[in-house]
Amino acid sequence: MDDDMESGSLGPFLERPRTFPNMRSKSNTPLIFRMLRKINVRLLFVLLLLGFTAIFYVGASTSPIIVFVFSVCIISFLLSIYLTKWVLSKDEGPPEMAEISDAIRDGAEGYFRTQYGTISKMALLLALVILGIYLFRSPTPQQESSGIGRLTSAFITVAAFLLGALCSGVAGYVGMWVSVRANVRVSSAARRSAREALQIAVRAGGFSALVVVGMAVIGVAILYATFYVWLGVDSPGSMKVTDLPLLLVGYGFGASFVALFAQLGGGIYTKAADVGADLVGKVEQGIPEDDPRNPAVIADLVGDNVGDCAARGADLFESIAAEIISAMILGASMAERCKIEGEFRSLSNPSGFILFPLVVHSFDLIVSSVGIFSIRGTRDSGVIAAIEDPMTILQRGYSVTIILAVLTFGLSTRWMLYTEQAPSAWFNFALCGLVGIMTAYIFVWITQYYTDYKHEPVRTLALSSSTGHGTNIIAGISLGLESTALPVLVISVSIVSAFWLGQTSGLVDEAGNPTGGLFGTAVATMGMLSTAAYVLTMDMFGPIADNAGGIVEMSQQPESVREITDVLDAVGNTTKATTKGFAIGSAALASFLLFSAYMDEVAAFAHQPFKQVDIAIPEVFVGGLLGSMLIFLFSGWACAAVGRTAQEVVNEVRRQFIERPGIMDYKEKPDYGRCVAIVASASLREMIKPGALAIISPIAVGLVFRILGYYTGHPLLGAKVVAAMLMFATVSGILMALFLNTAGGAWDNAKKYIETGALGGKGSDCHKAAITGDTVGDPFKDTAGPSLHVLIKMLATITLVMAPIFL
């Protein structure tokens, strides 16, 4: 920071033009984007044209469905460019707002560059490990018969892994890029109209959502089409199309790997800064949230972007990628068992069942775009407009998206899943999709009920603050524990219902046994994620609104402006909690599919059936215990990392208040850069241990029990123990994540409710007790909880990729 910012000799803080620390020491834009900027615009246009031509040529050589998917994704990218231009055309407000926004952007981009540099090095190291494993393992009978050797299989898996990791990183960058530019524009709009501010935040989130979902879909589609053409799939003597989806599992693992570390690092960063700022600023010094006198305030606002935007973008990206790949594997497996064969244009073909997930998510882009554009600003934005409930407006857009999703899902099933062998099967699968869509809607409603202060649970939690800090903690924990019941019941009903609908679809194998059950659950998962782009839009809205409120407070705008951003911020807390509930529900269904895919893959490698896991076998039961233990140990390490880093922030903020007493009178400027440096370095250091635990544990357990099985005459013991570990970890992880997410969101909004003036309002003893609850809930809802979403799916994808070494 410059000398003039360090000294207090510039006169009273309030009477001077505000300048904020420039944290940028070098360009923070990722290398790939810096290289693109240096290319001549015409040359870049020609290269893009050639790239699109190549993509469409490969797609046309694969299937007309792939061409449809490519077209929709590219249109959605063009639409996202329009949204970006629309958002960036809005004014940034007075100079002090722009300066604060610049400081936030520089801090976020600097951390992103360092964090993803570390993640990329770990990804390259893991890619070499995967390459070594696949070079020394025996291929499956299907790969042997199609002439795919060890070398080809190894390079295919590694290429898919690296592409998934790259796309996941880009998804995270896109989420962060738009949020650090939209925040100040939302702040400026809040000076005029709440509806205009809401519209800017939603459209900024919409840009990120369309890019993230579009990249997940087009990435899998390009990989599928490239392998299809390169390997000559379905030509005589080559691989069958039903064996192709198994080659894509590396893509899901790469996406999960990056998302896990992005979520861990970003979560530790944002919550350590938030806890440190709240404990010293609000509780000890009695200053408002996001007050410019708080040395940790810039770090807190930076954390909203790297933790909630970048990490959630990577999280949703890997959710969609994992769900698409698992559904493609199950669709291919069912098509093969049912002997569904023929060309695409015939009424019975396997391509429809394999490519169905890509079509569903292409329609997701279309219907979510309509939902995003259904939210409009008021015509008269020249004066402060009355504050309409933003949640009502967002729910109206979600309802539009849901209705369109139901219609397009039915159309997709009739188009893709009609087969002469079972003419009514497509209708059963359409009902499976409806089950998934209803599950998503119910999950959103349940999460809102437990985390929105309009409802009784949060108000009861706020009331418990009136009797002290301890009763607030007890009430919050009990609320979180109670909140796991309804979601689990909903997931259970949806899995059984979808399985039953699929099983009675009329599709049977050669022996006459029903085979559509698992694919029915896959279709339900697709239904749940068929509005993912709009849900991600609502999620991105949260941190953008939070940042906007911080900028308004730091630039000391009128109280009426802060009221608008406070309302948007409270709604943002609910939408973030909603997305976490949505993510854990989809993770539960997707993990169920990936578990089934893992068992199919083990059977292919082992050349024998593998359909059941008997937990009465002691070693298998121990594997289950280890899986449950992994969830608790991982969560404990993640929360402890936030606690240790927050202690450093608290000590630094206290030091500055003691050594610079003029800060409280606005006569000295806090050293914001010091807190940013502390949380950045600490979060990068602290994310390694829990992340390594998640990656190494299943591999180590599988290898140990494989060796034990070799000496005891049980060749499948390693695979069975890993299956039990995966099963128990999924169940424990779902419950733990539901508890952590809901308890943390409820504590946060109980504090917000008191800040509206209830129960004594800001500065009261009740408010201080609520702040304590909020700080306890911070690592719950923004570090450990969201990381568990990724962990559950990463355990499933890592076992899929590493299955050969367990046998």
Side-chain angles (χ1 to χ4, degrees):
M1 199 155 48
D2 297 338
D3 291 338
D4 59 341
M5 296 179 202
E6 292 283 356
S7 66
S9 59
L10 297 177
F13 183 38
L14 281 173
E15 297 175 7
R16 304 293 301 177
R18 287 191 184 79
T19 54
F20 288 83
N22 190 335
M23 301 155 195
R24 180 182 294 164
S25 56
K26 55 183 176 181
S27 175
N28 293 319
T29 308
L31 178 63
I32 186 170
F33 293 106
R34 294 205 306 273
M35 291 172 64
L36 287 173
R37 284 179 182 175
K38 294 179 181 178
I39 300 176
N40 181 274
V41 176
R42 292 182 180 177
L43 177 60
L44 183 61
F45 178 77
V46 171
L47 290 174
L48 286 173
L49 191 61
L50 290 173
F52 287 144
T53 304
I55 288 172
F56 275 99
Y57 173 77
V58 172
S61 303
T62 306
S63 166
I65 302 172
I66 295 292
V67 175
F68 168 77
V69 171
F70 285 163
S71 302
V72 172
C73 289
I74 289 170
I75 291 170
S76 73
F77 292 151
L78 295 175
L79 195 60
S80 67
I81 291 172
Y82 164 77
L83 288 174
T84 310
K85 289 191 172 183
W86 186 89
V87 170
L88 296 182
S89 68
K90 302 299 179 180
D91 69 286
E92 295 186 351
E96 57 266 27
M97 278 188 174
E99 289 171 7
I100 299 164
S101 176
D102 288 345
I104 296 168
R105 182 171 70 243
D106 291 343
E109 291 182 345
Y111 175 74
F112 184 93
R113 176 188 175 91
T114 307
Q115 182 192 33
Y116 276 75
T118 304
I119 294 173
S120 62
K121 291 172 187 173
M122 293 189 291
L124 289 172
L125 180 62
L126 186 55
L128 293 175
V129 173
I130 295 171
L131 181 65
I133 290 170
Y134 272 70
L135 284 175
F136 293 101
R137 64 125 179 125
S138 57
T140 64
Q142 294 89 341
Q143 291 172 348
E144 287 178 341
S145 63
S146 57
I148 296 179
R150 294 181 181 182
L151 186 63
T152 304
S153 177
F155 278 107
I156 283 174
T157 305
V158 170
F161 172 79
L162 291 176
L163 180 63
L166 175 65
C167 290
S168 185
V170 172
Y173 180 73
V174 165
M176 184 271 299
W177 185 90
V178 68
S179 66
V180 296
R181 287 161 177 79
N183 51 17
V184 68
R185 291 167 170 84
V186 174
S187 301
S188 179
R191 298 178 303 152
R192 300 183 294 273
S193 161
R195 188 65 177 264
E196 183 187 354
L198 171 70
Q199 186 185 22
I200 294 173
V202 168
R203 291 198 169 186
F207 157 74
S208 176
L210 292 178
V211 172
V212 168
V213 176
M215 280 186 57
V217 175
I218 203 170
V220 175
I222 289 174
L223 211 56
Y224 177 90
T226 303
F227 291 162
Y228 187 98
V229 173
W230 177 38
L231 299 173
V233 173
D234 271 350
S235 57
S238 64
M239 175 180 280
K240 292 190 296 183
V241 70
T242 50
D243 298 326
L244 183 56
L246 268 176
L247 298 179
L248 307 178
V249 294
Y251 185 86
F253 180 35
S256 298
F257 176 83
V258 171
L260 179 68
F261 283 100
Q263 188 66 72
L264 270 173
I268 293 168
Y269 186 115
T270 182
K271 291 302 109 179
D274 194 2
V275 170
D278 283 354
L279 286 179
V280 183
K282 289 184 182 178
V283 178
E284 295 182 7
Q285 300 295 330
I287 58 179
E289 185 170 2
D290 300 325
D291 192 287
R293 293 169 290 181
N294 195 325
V297 66
I298 291 289
D300 183 12
L301 295 173
V302 168
D304 291 334
N305 296 286
V306 300
D308 289 331
C309 292
R312 197 78 69 253
D315 181 0
L316 262 293
F317 175 89
E318 69 90 23
S319 291
I320 295 166
E323 176 263 327
I324 289 174
I325 292 167
S326 59
M328 291 175 81
I329 292 171
L330 291 175
S333 176
M334 188 189 69
E336 187 172 17
R337 284 198 298 270
C338 297
K339 299 300 178 186
I340 298 174
E341 297 174 348
E343 299 296 325
F344 167 74
R345 292 173 181 82
S346 69
L347 291 176
S348 295
N349 65 90
S351 294
F353 289 88
I354 296 169
L355 299 178
F356 179 64
L358 296 175
V359 172
V360 168
H361 286 291
S362 297
F363 279 119
D364 170 19
L365 291 168
I366 296 171
V367 301
S368 295
S369 298
V370 175
I372 292 165
F373 279 96
S374 70
I375 297 174
R376 298 180 174 274
T378 51
R379 292 183 180 178
D380 180 16
S381 59
V383 294
I384 296 284
I387 301 178
E388 183 181 358
D389 183 10
M391 182 55 79
T392 302
I393 300 169
L394 292 173
Q395 284 178 328
R396 202 154 52 228
Y398 186 49
S399 299
V400 170
T401 308
I402 285 277
I403 292 168
L404 292 175
V406 171
L407 296 175
T408 56
F409 205 95
L411 175 66
S412 302
T413 51
R414 179 62 180 84
W415 174 29
M416 303 291 292
L417 303 183
Y418 179 84
T419 172
E420 292 175 332
Q421 291 171 241
S424 63
W426 71 269
F427 184 72
N428 280 50
F429 290 128
L431 292 177
C432 291
L434 185 60
V435 167
I437 293 171
M438 289 172 60
T439 301
Y441 190 83
I442 294 170
F443 253 83
V444 168
W445 181 85
I446 291 171
T447 310
Q448 286 179 4
Y449 175 73
Y450 278 109
T451 58
D452 194 330
Y453 63 59
K454 296 186 188 71
H455 302 292
E456 184 183 354
V458 173
R459 295 199 174 200
T460 303
L461 176 58
L463 184 62
S464 70
S465 304
S466 61
T467 51
H469 300 252
T471 49
N472 173 277
I473 301 299
I474 293 169
I477 290 175
S478 62
L479 184 151
L481 292 170
E482 178 192 322
S483 70
T484 61
L486 284 177
V488 168
L489 292 173
V490 171
I491 291 173
S492 303
V493 170
S494 64
I495 289 176
V496 173
S497 301
F499 188 89
W500 181 82
L501 285 167
Q503 200 77 342
T504 57
S505 63
L507 289 169
V508 294
D509 60 17
E510 290 180 294
N513 299 316
T515 60
L518 278 177
F519 189 68
T521 60
V523 174
T525 309
M526 288 179 247
M528 187 168 188
L529 286 168
S530 63
T531 55
Y534 189 87
V535 173
L536 182 57
T537 299
M538 291 198 296
D539 181 71
M540 293 291 182
F541 163 84
I544 292 171
D546 193 355
N547 257 213
I551 292 171
V552 165
E553 181 68 38
M554 288 194 73
S555 58
Q556 298 191 342
Q557 299 299 311
E559 188 63 27
S560 59
V561 181
R562 180 68 201 193
E563 287 175 6
I564 289 175
T565 56
D566 278 347
V567 171
L568 295 178
D569 186 16
V571 170
N573 282 334
T574 304
T575 58
K576 286 190 290 184
T578 297
T579 309
K580 289 164 191 168
F582 178 86
I584 197 60
S586 63
L589 292 173
S591 297
F592 178 69
L593 305 183
L594 289 165
F595 181 75
S596 304
Y598 166 73
M599 296 182 76
D600 285 345
E601 187 178 14
V602 169
F605 279 115
H607 313 303
Q608 58 180 286
F610 184 59
K611 296 182 178 179
Q612 294 180 337
V613 179
D614 186 359
I615 61 171
I617 299 171
E619 294 89 346
V620 176
F621 183 73
V622 167
L625 281 177
L626 292 173
S628 296
M629 177 211 72
L630 172 63
I631 296 300
F632 283 83
L633 184 59
F634 176 88
S635 302
W637 283 1
C639 290
V642 174
R644 284 191 295 270
T645 309
Q647 287 174 7
E648 295 182 47
V649 177
V650 166
N651 290 333
E652 172 60 25
V653 175
R654 284 174 176 167
R655 182 192 67 79
Q656 291 198 36
F657 276 125
I658 292 170
E659 296 181 2
R660 301 183 180 192
I663 289 176
M664 290 299 291
D665 298 324
Y666 296 99
K667 294 178 180 177
E668 291 184 81
K669 176 68 68 69
D671 185 352
Y672 303 108
R674 177 62 187 152
C675 288
V676 170
I678 288 172
V679 289
S681 61
S683 60
L684 291 172
R685 180 179 67 249
E686 296 282 1
M687 75 177 184
I688 302 297
K689 189 168 77 169
L693 173 74
I695 294 166
I696 294 170
S697 294
I699 300 174
V701 169
L703 284 174
V704 168
F705 283 96
R706 174 195 172 176
I707 295 169
L708 184 62
Y710 175 79
Y711 286 107
T712 57
H714 296 88
L716 288 182
L717 185 62
K720 289 179 179 178
V721 171
V722 169
M725 183 181 190
L726 182 58
M727 189 190 310
F728 279 60
T730 300
V731 172
S732 302
I734 290 166
L735 293 169
M736 178 67 85
L738 285 169
F739 162 66
L740 295 174
N741 291 337
T742 311
W747 266 317
D748 195 348
N749 270 350
K751 178 197 71 176
K752 296 284 184 190
Y753 176 60
I754 293 171
E755 288 175 349
T756 62
L759 302 172
K762 293 181 181 180
S764 64
D765 289 340
C766 189
H767 184 228
K768 290 180 179 179
I771 292 170
T772 301
D774 181 33
T775 55
V776 172
D778 276 340
F780 280 26
K781 67 182 174 66
D782 287 322
T783 309
S787 297
L788 285 175
H789 308 164
V790 188
L791 174 65
I792 292 168
K793 286 166 287 186
M794 199 197 71
L795 288 174
T797 53
I798 196 172
T799 50
L800 268 175
V801 172
M802 298 296 182
I805 69 171
F806 303 147
L807 302 169

